[in-house]
Amino acid sequence: MRKPDIMLLFLLFIGSYLATAKNPMFYIATSCNNQAATGYMGLFESEFTNALKKEFPCVETLSDNNVVTLLQHEKQKQLLGSGDYDEISNIGEAMGSDYLVSLKVQILGNTALITAFCIDNRTSKVISRSTSSGVDGNAGIQAVEKVSKQLVEGLKKYEICPFKGPINVVVKTERTDKKNESYAVYCNGMDGLYKLDVTVNKTSDADWKLKKTSKNQVSGSVTYNLREETETEEQNDCYICPSGRQGARMYTEKTTKTSRVEGLSNESVADNQQIEDARAEITFLDNGTYSLKVKAASKKGDLILKIEKRAEGTCDNQSPLPENITKKADVPLNEVTFGPFSGTSLDKVLSHKDSYSSIDPVTKEKTTVTYDYDLKKD
């Protein structure tokens, strides 16, 4: 059987995404208006690739020249009967790159006009652009070097190589609330007192130990503990009984709520696999600062509610056994944003630690967030 034409195979694979590249791939496409401009194209490819890999060591690059060389090499192997069709597949996969860099060189008289831009293929948006020109050979070379440098500099707002490392967040809450009510009552020809005291004490802490493993994905664990006690004491010297008779009655109630939750939820799916429900996103701003957004969700754990009641007095006396209710509950790390802090994607390390507190104006509950992270670029 005759083997498929090598160029036909290439065209079949060129537009396909047969696999996801392990590292971010930049494809460099070049064009020019005459033969005299071709020298600048090779210089740009070399300058840009070196500058890119210096700032973003994780990237891989492929260019028109690389593809032509690979195809010519594979064609010779085919003629010798030792061709590797997997090699052509690899070329096609690489053409489905993450970023496209387009270079255009125009020679107009004695002036070389160098124009380049970079597109994020996932969003089809231009994320960096640069233009320069030179009126002679040396100036043209300098223009190429300038465009290469500026094009890489423009990428500092994007997380090309993922920052990885630990992100620790501890969220503690405290609440003490006391409610007192008291007024005079009259029954059975005597003055009496109605008094109500309600005390709420609540503490909780969620210790999130996370690890950023890629551009957005996060793994890790969480340990959450909650204890909330509500004590009610009611004195009513004119309590109304079902019969209509009035008299003194003392009622107490204590509600204790406890919960312990461990582990991250893993209901999300990526690449046909369940992953933990935690995300982190770094946003780089034009002014040389960045912010880190983190959110996560825990597994479900036990929430135990214990209710103790006691009443003594004229009527409606009661002293039942404590009531225990068990429910399932989880705890979210609602999206929190840390920053902005000084830094760009060109930095090797992004790290910070701090603590801040806030008080709910309604419940008066105090929340303290303590965090630290140490993210390093691949």
Side-chain angles (χ1 to χ4, degrees):
M1 179 182 289
R2 181 167 121 17
K3 291 185 178 181
D5 182 81
I6 192 72
M7 288 305 296
L8 176 59
L9 271 178
F10 172 67
L11 292 173
L12 288 173
F13 282 108
I14 194 171
S16 65
Y17 289 74
L18 300 182
T20 302
K22 180 179 179 181
N23 296 322
M25 173 65 74
F26 281 73
Y27 184 81
I28 305 171
T30 56
S31 63
C32 60
N33 66 339
N34 59 42
Q35 187 64 28
T38 57
Y40 293 109
M41 295 161 58
L43 177 62
F44 171 83
E45 181 182 330
S46 175
E47 290 288 330
F48 175 75
T49 298
N50 290 336
L52 182 67
K53 290 191 174 185
K54 179 181 178 182
E55 300 295 351
F56 304 103
C58 73
V59 303
E60 297 177 9
T61 60
L62 186 67
S63 68
D64 291 337
N65 289 333
N66 297 144
V67 172
V68 170
T69 301
L70 287 170
L71 285 173
Q72 289 175 344
H73 177 64
E74 185 61 27
K75 188 172 182 179
Q76 291 298 320
K77 288 166 62 178
Q78 291 285 350
L79 292 174
L80 295 173
S82 60
D84 184 357
Y85 288 97
D86 288 338
E87 184 70 22
I88 303 303
S89 173
N90 293 335
I91 296 171
E93 291 171 11
M95 292 293 287
S97 57
D98 302 289
Y99 303 93
L100 173 64
V101 177
S102 176
L103 171 72
K104 186 176 182 180
V105 180
Q106 292 178 291
I107 302 297
L108 306 174
N110 64 344
T111 300
L113 178 62
I114 316 296
T115 303
F117 59 85
C118 180
I119 295 176
D120 185 335
N121 285 333
R122 290 161 294 187
T123 62
S124 299
K125 292 183 178 180
V126 176
I127 59 176
S128 184
R129 185 192 300 272
S130 180
T131 300
S132 187
S133 61
V135 296
D136 56 36
N138 288 332
I141 292 173
Q142 292 175 356
V144 170
E145 293 172 345
K146 179 180 178 181
V147 168
S148 302
K149 181 179 179 180
Q150 288 181 344
L151 203 62
V152 173
E153 180 73 15
L155 299 175
K156 67 181 182 181
K157 296 184 295 181
Y158 302 92
E159 190 179 359
I160 305 297
C161 292
F163 285 85
K164 301 178 182 180
I167 302 173
N168 301 308
V169 183
V170 177
V171 182
K172 292 187 176 183
T173 65
E174 300 174 273
R175 178 189 171 196
T176 299
D177 188 20
K178 294 184 178 182
K179 176 184 177 182
N180 304 108
E181 185 180 352
S182 179
Y183 53 85
V185 294
Y186 182 84
C187 63
N188 303 322
M190 298 176 59
D191 290 327
L193 179 69
Y194 176 86
K195 184 179 180 182
L196 177 67
D197 295 317
V198 180
T199 302
V200 179
N201 287 296
K202 175 187 175 183
T203 61
S204 73
D205 61 88
D207 189 357
W208 303 85
K209 294 188 180 300
L210 308 175
K211 184 176 182 180
K212 190 171 181 289
T213 57
S214 65
K215 189 172 182 180
N216 298 117
Q217 290 186 6
V218 172
S219 63
S221 64
V222 60
T223 302
Y224 173 74
N225 290 284
L226 164 71
R227 183 174 182 85
E228 181 176 347
E229 292 182 350
T230 302
E231 294 187 75
T232 302
E233 185 176 289
E234 182 186 52
Q235 173 190 342
N236 190 349
D237 291 341
C238 289
Y239 179 80
I240 301 176
C241 298
S243 65
R245 183 166 58 91
Q246 292 180 280
R249 182 177 183 265
M250 178 67 74
Y251 174 79
T252 60
E253 179 178 314
K254 181 178 180 180
T255 301
T256 305
K257 185 187 298 182
T258 58
S259 181
R260 181 173 176 84
V261 179
E262 292 184 313
L264 294 180
S265 169
N266 62 341
E267 297 181 4
S268 297
V269 177
D271 297 328
N272 297 319
Q273 292 184 339
Q274 286 187 304
I275 61 173
E276 292 172 312
D277 294 326
R279 299 290 180 272
E281 178 183 354
I282 301 175
T283 301
F284 295 98
L285 307 177
D286 292 335
N287 61 359
T289 64
Y290 72 94
S291 60
L292 172 64
K293 294 181 182 179
V294 183
K295 60 180 178 179
S298 73
K299 292 181 179 178
K300 291 186 179 297
D302 288 336
L303 175 65
I304 301 173
L305 189 65
K306 182 179 181 181
I307 304 173
E308 302 171 272
K309 299 179 180 180
R310 185 177 181 84
E312 295 178 325
T314 302
C315 59
D316 286 348
N317 293 327
Q318 54 180 292
S319 183
L321 293 174
E323 181 182 5
N324 291 289
I325 302 172
T326 301
K327 300 180 179 180
K328 291 295 181 180
D330 55 14
V331 58
L333 176 60
N334 294 321
E335 184 174 276
V336 290
T337 301
F338 305 128
F341 307 119
S342 296
T344 74
S345 69
L346 302 184
D347 292 334
K348 305 299 182 184
V349 178
L350 301 176
S351 63
H352 198 82
K353 60 181 179 180
D354 203 353
S355 179
Y356 62 89
S357 299
S358 62
I359 298 178
D360 188 295
V362 178
T363 65
K364 306 303 180 182
E365 182 171 285
K366 179 181 179 180
T367 300
T368 301
V369 178
T370 303
Y371 68 93
D372 67 86
Y373 60 86
D374 186 23
L375 307 178
K376 297 178 181 179
K377 186 168 62 178
D378 277 358

